[in-house]
């Protein structure tokens, strides 16, 4: 196959056709047969995925590629088809962003979301439909973590040690923890906690808890947390986020995580993924979408607040807590009720002897508008009684919001704020502007920021802020750049300049950091910090995340740290080394050692018993288990590619996958003279054939066995081999 003799000329024609976009040129290119053009062999990348080598035809004003290079969801990328002697070709749309490198013979097609089918998923009526596990067994866990750190400018060494133990069975969970912290020669601080929770029904949970501390020789109950009883009742997902859009350049599997709780993964087509009515368990929190496609795995996050969510009509969620805080009684009560799909009421009350406080709020929200008012009162400080209001308006790519806080008994503390944001759909650019003022106290601030994904590997951001207080002015400006040449390597650089009166001179600082993952679970970091102040240092760090977690770092300023975390769990009398996570367990039995798996995206490998235990986040109900095909050995075959399970009760959910995997071994057949036997067949649980070097992939066997061998072209077996476990090369004897 010959390459084009004039690649530079053809590249010029290509670029001219793409940039001009002239209708007549497009029509002429479409009507003329492309088969007369000389084929060019190019390495093709489409939507970020390397599609390998293929033929391209580059007649003037058009680009034709082999049709096999496009995925079904990319059918709109093609505007014409042609059948040539070299195969089937399609003409790429002139609206695509293409680049052709004639020296490297590479063709890159960037994502065009408008031409991809996309998906719209309404999660309002979602309910778990996957079957339950094969069994749920009691689970006992024990975890320990420790940390040593020396910080420049502090006295002595900082030390920390913690131990936690827990048990889960059916509707009951229990946990106990102890932590000790010390700095230098100071007396250590000790904290202990004990808790037990009983899930009466899917809507009602009762928890008993106690928190104690010992500080400076004084032992008492924690004065920041209530030791007593907590009752939670109502809908676990009373709130819902009405809309969230994700750009997917490729077909992908998407798994949502709501404040640590995983929802079942869904398989979606390339394009704009629109998620409607995403149920969330709190009025503010973080949504994460773990996206797995042909290029690997990535995570996108969205932080949401009360102005972003709706309360489902007639949904009620209430939590009450009563007990002792420190040496005095305390109680709290909070709840939310959805009057309609747009109107909701919320309230909160806290009580301690001599002091109580409460809040009442109402909110209206729909897909494009949200407004709320809130009244807060505290008996110990009635002068702080405040009425607040906020409004948010969403219009296409714009988000406008404003808020005001009125303090009737102290008007000087009243304040206003406003913000505007723009996020370009598909452009990777976001812009935001904020302003806030407390005129009575002469406090003012304004800021702006912009970020842009310049290329799939390069992101840049800039921000600036100015503030004034009592006539004194301060400002700061920053710039950051992140370059990710590949999934395992990222480099970040940031610079910040600032000036705050009464300092006459400003300061400047810059930080750069490189992160490299030489292997899964291992991360190496190198960072440097420069400043006009005497704060210059370089740091080297290492982290490992697996069955245990380890971190270590060393800095040129004399600081260093080391930490570790490990856990062990017991299920049915067997021990498993696991990370120290407090959630439910999933025990996958595959029957083979060394099988890599993904459990809700968490990588794990089966142990010598052919089992793997994973502890998930608290509240997880849906579990998806798949082989980790990126790491699966070629000597292991798979029958079922995925198993979805809905957890029932607390403990370790057992998934029996022992019949899903089969192990194979490589064996090389040699003749009596020691020469390989290519293309020979032997009968081992069916007919097996060797390759051109005499190698055959056979089902694993645990005892010696004898198999007849038929040479290439022969009609009957010519010899026999005795296969022995662990022996790769065997000779065929008559």
């Amino acid at each position: 196959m010959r390459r084009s003799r004039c690649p530079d000329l053809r590249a010029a024609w290509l670029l001219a056709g793409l940039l001009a976009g002239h209708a007549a040129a497009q029509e002429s290119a479409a009507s003329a047969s492309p088969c007369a053009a000389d084929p060019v062999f190019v390495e093709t990348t489409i939507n970020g995925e390397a599609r390998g080598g293929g033929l391209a035809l580059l007649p003037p004003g058009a680009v034709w590629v082999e049709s096999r290079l496009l995925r079904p969801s990319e059918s709109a990328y093609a505007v014409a088809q042609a059948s040539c002697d070299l195969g089937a070709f399609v003409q790429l749309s002139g609206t695509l962003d293409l680049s052709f490198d004639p020296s490297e013979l590479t063709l890159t097609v960037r994502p065009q979301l408008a031409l991809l089918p996309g998906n719209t998923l309404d999660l309002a009526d979602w309910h778990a439909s996957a079957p339950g596990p094969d069994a749920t067994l009691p689970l006992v866990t024990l975890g320990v973590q420790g940390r040593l750190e020396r910080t420049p400018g502090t006295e002595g060494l900082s030390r920390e040690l913690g131990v936690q133990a827990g048990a889960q069975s059916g509707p009951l969970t229990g946990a106990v923890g102890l932590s000790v912290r010390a700095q230098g020669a100071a007396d250590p601080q000790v904290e202990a906690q004990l808790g037990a929770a009983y899930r009466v029904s899917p809507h009602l949970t009762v928890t008993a808890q106690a928190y104690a501390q010992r500080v400076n020789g004084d032992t008492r109950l924690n004065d920041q947390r209530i030791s007593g009883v907590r009752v939670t009742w109502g809908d676990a997902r009373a709130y819902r986020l009405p809309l969230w859009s994700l750009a997917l350049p490729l077909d992908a599997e998407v798994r949502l995580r709501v404040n640590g709780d995983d929802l079942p993964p869904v398989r979606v087509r390339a394009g704009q993924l629109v998620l409607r009515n995403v149920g969330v368990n709190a009025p503010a929190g973080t949504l994460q979408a773990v996206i797995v496609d042909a290029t690997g795995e990535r995570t996108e996050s969205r932080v949401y607040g009360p102005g972003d969510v709706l309360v489902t009509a007639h949904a009620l969620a209430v939590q009450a807590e009563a007990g002792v805080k420190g040496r005095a009684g305390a109680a709290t009560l909070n709840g939310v009720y959805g009057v309609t799909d747009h109107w909701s009421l919320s309230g909160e009350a806290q009580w301690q002897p001599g002091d109580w406080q409460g809040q009442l709020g109402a909110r209206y929200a729909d897909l494009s508008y949200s407004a709320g008012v809130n009244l807060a009162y505290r008996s110990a400080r009635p002068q702080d009684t405040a009425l607040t209001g906020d409004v948010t308006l969403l219009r296409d790519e714009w988000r406008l919001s404003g808020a005001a806080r009125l303090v009737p008994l102290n008007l000087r503390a009243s304040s206003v704020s406003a913000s505007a944001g723009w996020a370009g759909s598909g452009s990777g650019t976001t812009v935001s502007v904020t302003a806030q003022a407390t005129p009575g106290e002469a406090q003012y601030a304004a800021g702006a920021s912009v970020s842009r994904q310049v290329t799939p590997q390069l992101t840049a951001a800039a921000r600036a802020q100015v503030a004034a207080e009592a006539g004194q002015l301060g400002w700061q400006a920053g710039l950051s750049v992140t370059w990710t040449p590949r999934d395992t390597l990222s480099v970040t650089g940031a610079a910040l300049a600032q000036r705050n009166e009464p300092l006459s001179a400003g300061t400047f600082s810059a930080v750069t950091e490189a992160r490299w993952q030489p292997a899964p679970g291992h991360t190496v970091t190198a960072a440097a910090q420069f400043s006009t102040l005497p704060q210059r240092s370089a740091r080297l760090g290492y982290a490992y995340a697996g069955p245990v977690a380890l971190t270590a770092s060393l800095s040129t300023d004399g600081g260093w740290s080391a930490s570790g975390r490990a856990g062990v769990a017991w299920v049915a009398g067997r021990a498993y080394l696991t990370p120290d996570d407090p959630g439910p367990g999933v025990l996958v039995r595959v029957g083979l050692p060394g099988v890599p798996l993904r459990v809700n995206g968490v990588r794990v490998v089966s142990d010598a018993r052919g089992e793997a235990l994973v502890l998930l986040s608290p509240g997880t109900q849906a579990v998806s288990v798949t082989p980790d095909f990126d790491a699966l050995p070629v000597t292991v075959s798979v029958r079922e590619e995925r198993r979805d399970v809905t957890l029932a009760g607390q403990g370790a959910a057992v998934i029996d996958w022992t019949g899903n995997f089969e192990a194979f071994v490589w064996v090389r057949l040699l003749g009596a003279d020691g020469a390989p036997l290519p293309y020979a067949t032997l009968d081992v649980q069916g007919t097996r054939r060797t390759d051109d070097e005499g190698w055959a992939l056979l089902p694993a066997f645990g005892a010696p066995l004898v198999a007849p061998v038929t040479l290439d072209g022969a009609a009957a077996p010519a010899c026999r081999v005795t296969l022995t476990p662990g022996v790769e090369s065997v000779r065929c004897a008559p």
Side-chain angles (χ1 to χ4, degrees):
M1 186 179 300
R2 62 190 181 94
R3 296 182 176 181
S4 169
R5 290 168 293 181
C6 302
D8 292 333
L9 179 59
R10 300 193 184 282
W13 277 110
L14 170 62
L15 295 177
L18 293 176
L19 297 176
H22 194 276
Q26 291 288 331
E27 182 179 355
S28 174
S31 60
S33 173
C35 301
D38 288 337
V40 181
F41 186 81
V42 295
E43 290 291 333
T44 308
T45 300
I46 301 178
N47 292 348
E49 179 190 3
R51 304 287 169 88
L55 294 179
L57 305 176
L58 307 176
V63 179
W64 294 73
V65 297
E66 292 184 75
S67 59
R68 65 176 179 82
L69 295 176
L70 294 183
R71 302 286 184 252
S73 58
E74 298 160 355
S75 59
Y77 280 15
V79 295
Q81 300 180 2
S83 180
C84 304
D85 293 339
L86 295 174
F89 289 81
V90 293
Q91 181 188 357
L92 297 180
S93 171
T95 62
L96 291 173
D97 183 6
L98 308 176
S99 62
F100 173 62
D101 187 335
S103 60
E104 297 292 335
L105 291 178
T106 59
L107 176 65
T108 301
V109 181
R110 296 177 180 84
Q112 184 71 272
L113 296 181
L115 297 179
L116 297 172
N119 306 260
T120 298
L121 300 178
D122 193 331
L123 304 180
D125 299 323
W126 175 87
H127 62 279
S129 58
D134 296 300
T136 301
L137 303 177
L139 171 67
V140 177
T141 60
L142 176 65
V144 60
Q145 70 267 350
R147 181 177 180 84
L148 294 175
E149 183 176 9
R150 179 177 293 279
T151 304
T154 60
E155 182 179 350
L157 191 66
S158 174
R159 308 174 300 279
E160 181 177 343
L161 178 65
V163 179
Q164 302 85 30
Q168 304 176 28
S169 180
L172 184 64
T173 62
V176 60
L178 179 69
S179 65
V180 181
R181 298 180 180 88
Q183 177 71 47
D187 291 337
Q189 299 181 7
V190 182
E191 294 185 359
Q193 63 182 50
L194 175 67
Y198 183 76
R199 190 179 185 187
V200 182
S201 72
H203 297 286
L204 177 61
T205 301
V206 179
T207 304
Q209 58 202 15
Y211 306 94
Q213 61 185 20
R214 181 177 178 82
V215 181
N216 298 326
D218 181 23
T219 302
R220 64 180 185 274
L221 292 177
N222 191 296
D223 53 10
Q224 300 297 319
R225 308 176 71 176
I226 293 179
S227 296
V229 177
R230 181 174 70 245
V231 178
T232 303
W233 187 90
D235 297 277
R237 299 190 181 279
Y239 303 93
R240 55 191 172 91
L241 188 71
L243 186 68
W244 188 22
S245 296
L246 298 169
L248 304 179
L250 298 167
D251 294 346
E253 180 182 89
V254 179
R255 183 176 63 255
L256 292 181
R257 176 169 294 174
V258 182
N259 298 325
D261 185 5
D262 288 307
L263 298 182
V266 292
R267 187 73 187 175
V268 293
R269 297 173 299 174
Q272 199 77 22
L273 173 60
V274 179
L275 299 172
R276 297 188 181 277
N277 299 311
V278 182
V280 294
N281 52 13
T286 302
L287 284 174
Q288 289 182 316
V290 181
I291 302 168
V292 181
D293 59 24
T295 63
E297 179 178 306
R298 68 185 186 278
T299 300
E300 295 192 15
S301 301
R302 173 174 175 178
V303 177
Y304 67 91
D308 300 315
V309 297
L310 307 177
V311 179
T312 304
H314 311 305
L316 175 65
V318 178
Q319 179 174 287
E321 199 171 7
V324 178
K325 183 185 291 186
R327 292 186 171 90
T332 64
L333 174 67
N334 60 73
V336 62
Y337 176 69
V339 182
T340 69
D341 275 333
H342 299 294
W343 283 98
S344 63
L345 301 175
S346 62
E348 180 180 347
Q350 300 181 25
W351 172 85
Q352 284 183 271
D355 185 18
W356 68 270
Q357 54 186 307
Q359 296 186 44
L360 289 175
R363 177 166 294 278
Y364 174 86
D366 57 28
L367 293 178
S368 60
Y369 179 80
S370 174
V373 293
N374 188 80
L375 177 64
Y377 173 81
R378 183 176 180 182
S379 63
R381 294 186 58 85
Q383 66 273 23
D384 291 340
T385 300
L387 178 66
T388 59
D390 66 86
V391 60
T392 299
L393 182 65
L394 302 176
R395 284 292 184 271
D396 299 325
E397 299 171 338
W398 287 92
R399 177 188 179 94
L400 307 175
S401 63
R405 182 173 183 266
L406 177 65
V407 186
L409 302 181
N410 183 14
L411 292 177
R412 290 172 53 87
S414 300
S415 62
V416 294
S417 63
S419 66
W422 178 82
S425 177
S427 68
T429 302
T430 61
V431 180
S432 67
V433 179
T434 61
Q436 57 186 26
T438 307
E441 298 179 355
Q443 296 178 355
Y444 304 90
S449 65
V450 59
S451 66
R452 177 172 176 78
Q453 187 170 0
V454 183
T455 69
Q457 294 79 31
L458 183 64
T459 302
R463 63 183 179 90
Q465 183 177 357
V466 60
E469 182 174 0
Q472 295 185 344
L473 185 66
W475 60 266
Q476 62 176 222
L479 176 67
S480 65
V481 177
T482 300
W483 179 50
T484 309
R486 53 181 181 269
D487 293 340
T488 58
L489 178 64
S490 66
V491 181
T492 300
L496 177 67
Q498 59 183 347
R499 182 177 184 272
N500 296 307
E501 292 186 356
L503 297 176
S504 58
T507 61
F508 174 81
S509 61
V511 177
T512 181
E513 181 183 73
R515 301 176 64 88
W516 176 48
Q517 289 184 302
H522 300 265
T523 303
V524 179
T525 60
Q529 176 181 345
F530 309 91
S531 175
T532 53
L533 299 175
Q535 297 175 353
R536 305 177 184 180
S537 63
R539 177 176 53 85
L540 184 65
Y542 168 78
Y544 170 73
V548 299
L550 302 171
T551 64
S553 67
L554 180 64
S555 177
T556 57
D557 60 7
W560 60 268
S561 67
S563 65
R565 182 169 60 93
V568 62
W570 287 269
V571 179
R574 291 186 172 185
Y576 303 85
L577 188 65
T578 68
D580 178 30
D581 290 321
V586 177
L587 177 62
V588 185
R589 291 172 172 164
V590 298
L592 297 175
V595 176
L597 303 168
R598 283 177 177 261
V599 181
N600 276 15
V602 178
R603 296 176 184 266
V604 67
V605 178
S606 61
D607 58 18
R609 298 168 298 199
E611 300 176 344
L613 178 68
V614 176
L615 301 184
L616 301 175
S617 303
T620 300
Q621 295 180 345
V623 174
S624 176
V625 183
T626 64
D628 188 353
F629 289 103
D630 293 337
L632 190 70
V634 70
T635 54
V636 176
S637 68
V638 178
R639 292 185 177 89
E640 184 183 10
E641 295 187 355
R642 176 167 160 173
R643 175 74 65 86
D644 293 326
V645 171
T646 300
L647 300 186
Q650 302 294 323
V654 179
I655 299 177
D656 188 355
W657 235 6
T658 52
N660 191 54
F661 299 89
E662 185 177 4
F664 290 79
V665 293
W666 285 106
V667 175
R668 194 179 197 187
L669 300 190
L670 306 176
D673 58 355
L677 299 179
Y679 310 117
T681 58
L682 68 165
D683 188 6
V684 179
Q685 299 182 25
T687 301
R688 312 289 171 174
R689 187 175 176 86
T690 63
D691 61 14
D692 58 349
E693 295 183 350
W695 289 98
L697 194 60
L698 307 179
F701 48 91
L705 56 88
V706 178
V709 176
T710 302
L711 301 181
D712 184 30
C719 55
R720 293 175 178 271
V721 293
T722 300
L723 303 174
T724 304
V727 178
E728 282 191 340
S729 298
V730 294
R731 296 201 178 200
C732 194

